[in-house]
Amino acid sequence: MAEVVRNIQVKLNVPESRHSDVDQTFEEFRQAAQHVADYGWSDDPDHLIKAKNKLHKATYTEVREKTNLQASLVQSARNLAADALSNCKDLLEDDKNTSKPEFRGTVIVYNGRTITYNDDHVTLATTGDRVTAEYVLPHDDEDTPFEEYWNEDDWEKKEATLHKRDGEYYLHVAIEKEVEPVTDEQTENGVVLGVDLNVDGYVAVTSTGVYLGNADELNHKRDEYERRRGNLEQTGTRSAHLTIQSIGDKLAEWSRHRLHDVSNGIVREAVENDCTHIAFERLTWIWTRISNASKFQQWAFREVQRQVEYKAEEHGIEVETVAPQYTSQRCSHGECGFTHEDNRDSDEFECLKCGKELHADYNAARNVAWRLVQNWLKSGSGRATSQLALKSGTVNANGDFNASA
């Protein structure tokens, strides 16, 4: 079995009478981590100490004497410092500049011995007695990580870090799920779902003919925000600045919600068609085809791919990218493959050679999937039986169509 890990941030309602205990624990945890970092640090990578066992032997007793932290929290502080020292050692060995880790923020790392999760609250170890803090969950958790992971039995809550921002306490929880890894047989006989991303019309179109998301709606919301921001910037007041930040946050939240609908649809289509891979156009190349894509649209493309990658992982589906050249101009019908810029006219595609008519974005999505299969064949990866997921079936690299059962 393979492990998939997600991170969820949940706000905590810490009783005001216990704030001092939690805040004192922040400070003593910081001191403990700093003590370990001070001991292990050297600007010479040969003398810098990153091994946890060596750091433990050298610092554990003194930290226990100087703080009120229980043993498990001392070990967590040591691990935090050891990880920071390890990063420093890697940089120094690569002849890159770095400096001794300095712990200034408010953070406590909790493990199974120092945190207990309950249905509506959590208990946390502190320098005093344990603190009981209720979760502050969203009123509507539809299409949020809380709906997907928080109360699902197959996701297990593991290590967490506690943070304090603007007087509020937030717990960042790592949740874990075991999934079946992709087998060698599945990899060798992969079925690819191709995805075409767009700045107009639909956000994404799959090689199975599914159209997802309204790109025009996203762009319209962004344009509205830009107009309001421009007017507020001319005002120049502090209130106007706060309003800009507020409406910007709301736009980002609204946009991510819409893009989650898109990514969920892509992964759902891959699962329903027994796909082992999802193929996207490579974003570093895609801007040569969509030269008028705004920064917002580029962000949306990256966000869709990011979401699909972590959601597909839960189903053992891999995500790969291909070069996008000519995917919008090539005919994807059968063995045709005729490529010409006049094949496409806006959202219509009609092959000048074979006469096949398709929606242009659907044709491009088929080509994206086809390109990944061709890459496999050219690389000699052994995936000779790999196929493209299309409407009502699959087609192999030779153009042979297999209808769905």
Side-chain angles (χ1 to χ4, degrees):
M1 298 291 286
E3 295 176 348
V4 177
V5 179
R6 297 286 174 266
N7 286 282
I8 294 184
Q9 173 183 290
V10 58
K11 186 177 179 180
L12 295 182
N13 182 12
V14 177
E16 189 170 351
S17 61
R18 302 303 308 276
H19 283 196
S20 59
D21 286 325
V22 176
D23 293 346
Q24 181 64 25
T25 308
F26 276 128
E27 176 56 23
E28 295 196 14
F29 190 90
R30 185 198 66 78
Q31 291 175 5
Q34 192 62 58
H35 181 83
V36 176
D38 290 345
Y39 177 84
W41 169 253
S42 172
D43 56 10
D44 181 350
D46 292 333
H47 294 92
L48 185 149
I49 302 172
K50 68 172 185 177
K52 293 179 182 178
N53 60 337
K54 292 182 179 179
L55 293 170
H56 175 83
K57 290 179 180 179
T59 63
Y60 177 79
T61 301
E62 188 172 357
V63 170
R64 285 301 306 273
E65 291 173 351
K66 290 185 175 181
T67 69
N68 294 308
L69 298 175
Q70 63 174 255
S72 293
L73 286 178
V74 172
Q75 292 167 7
S76 292
R78 178 208 63 208
N79 292 344
L80 181 65
D83 289 341
L85 288 166
S86 180
N87 290 334
C88 290
K89 186 177 180 69
D90 291 341
L91 291 171
L92 290 170
E93 289 178 341
D94 290 339
D95 294 325
K96 295 180 179 178
N97 292 328
T98 187
S99 57
K100 183 179 70 176
E102 298 287 345
F103 297 95
R104 298 189 179 90
T106 52
V107 62
I108 306 170
V109 181
Y110 286 99
N111 58 30
R113 296 186 184 90
T114 51
I115 186 170
T116 302
Y117 299 101
N118 297 279
D119 290 341
D120 59 355
H121 69 277
V122 66
T123 65
L124 304 168
T126 70
T127 53
D129 296 332
R130 277 196 169 232
V131 166
T132 297
E134 294 182 349
Y135 306 126
V136 182
L137 301 176
H139 296 296
D140 182 8
D141 65 1
E142 184 179 0
D143 293 327
T144 70
F146 292 98
E147 180 189 42
E148 291 186 64
Y149 312 121
W150 188 255
N151 291 317
E152 295 298 317
D153 292 337
D154 50 353
W155 287 93
E156 183 180 1
K157 299 177 181 68
K158 307 288 281 190
E159 184 179 85
T161 56
L162 183 66
H163 303 260
K164 186 176 183 180
R165 297 191 301 272
D166 300 325
E168 303 287 353
Y169 299 92
Y170 297 89
L171 195 64
H172 294 209
V173 184
I175 55 175
E176 187 177 283
K177 176 184 178 181
E178 290 189 344
V179 299
E180 292 288 346
V182 178
T183 65
D184 292 340
E185 182 180 358
Q186 287 176 309
T187 302
E188 292 174 2
N189 302 285
V191 178
V192 181
L193 180 77
V195 180
D196 181 60
L197 298 174
N198 303 280
V199 298
D200 298 307
Y202 298 97
V203 175
V205 179
T206 71
S207 59
T208 51
V210 172
Y211 299 80
L212 298 161
N214 189 328
D216 295 334
E217 182 185 25
L218 282 171
N219 295 332
H220 177 69
K221 282 282 188 180
R222 177 66 180 185
D223 291 342
E224 281 187 343
Y225 164 74
E226 292 293 351
R227 282 194 295 270
R228 289 193 64 189
R229 186 179 73 169
N231 293 335
L232 289 166
E233 283 178 342
Q234 290 183 355
T235 303
T237 63
R238 182 176 183 276
S239 175
H241 174 74
L242 293 174
T243 302
I244 291 173
Q245 185 175 12
S246 175
I247 62 176
D249 291 342
K250 289 179 181 178
L251 172 67
E253 181 180 356
W254 180 88
S255 300
R256 285 194 179 90
H257 183 83
R258 293 295 185 274
L259 296 179
H260 273 294
D261 291 340
V262 174
S263 60
N264 287 337
I266 292 171
V267 174
R268 181 171 58 249
E269 194 65 14
V271 171
E272 291 177 354
N273 286 275
D274 296 323
C275 295
T276 59
H277 292 75
I278 298 173
F280 285 97
E281 293 177 307
R282 198 168 298 137
L283 293 181
T284 53
W285 290 75
I286 198 172
W287 314 129
T288 62
R289 176 172 67 82
I290 309 177
S291 57
N292 63 333
S294 67
K295 289 184 178 179
F296 174 72
Q297 292 162 335
Q298 293 179 31
W299 166 83
F301 284 8
R302 288 192 297 271
E303 183 66 12
V304 168
Q305 287 198 17
R306 184 190 70 82
Q307 292 179 11
V308 168
E309 285 174 359
Y310 78 75
K311 292 176 182 180
E313 183 186 18
E314 298 170 26
H315 303 278
I317 299 172
E318 297 182 16
V319 177
E320 296 197 32
T321 59
V322 300
Q325 294 97 322
Y326 310 116
T327 52
S328 63
Q329 300 175 11
R330 177 187 179 275
C331 177
S332 65
H333 180 59
E335 298 181 17
C336 179
F338 179 70
T339 304
H340 195 282
E341 61 181 7
D342 291 336
N343 280 347
R344 176 167 186 164
D345 181 13
S346 187
D347 61 356
E348 297 178 358
F349 183 94
E350 182 177 0
C351 180
L352 298 178
K353 180 180 179 181
C354 73
K356 183 66 176 179
E357 296 183 19
L358 296 166
H359 188 284
D361 298 332
Y362 171 53
N363 177 74
R366 290 163 59 120
N367 280 326
V368 170
W370 172 86
R371 178 153 289 168
L372 180 56
V373 171
Q374 291 298 307
N375 288 349
W376 289 343
L377 296 178
K378 291 177 182 177
S379 67
S381 62
R383 298 183 176 96
T385 57
S386 294
Q387 301 177 24
L388 288 63
L390 303 179
K391 286 182 180 179
S392 303
T394 59
V395 64
N396 64 25
N398 295 320
D400 298 325
F401 182 78
N402 297 311
S404 297

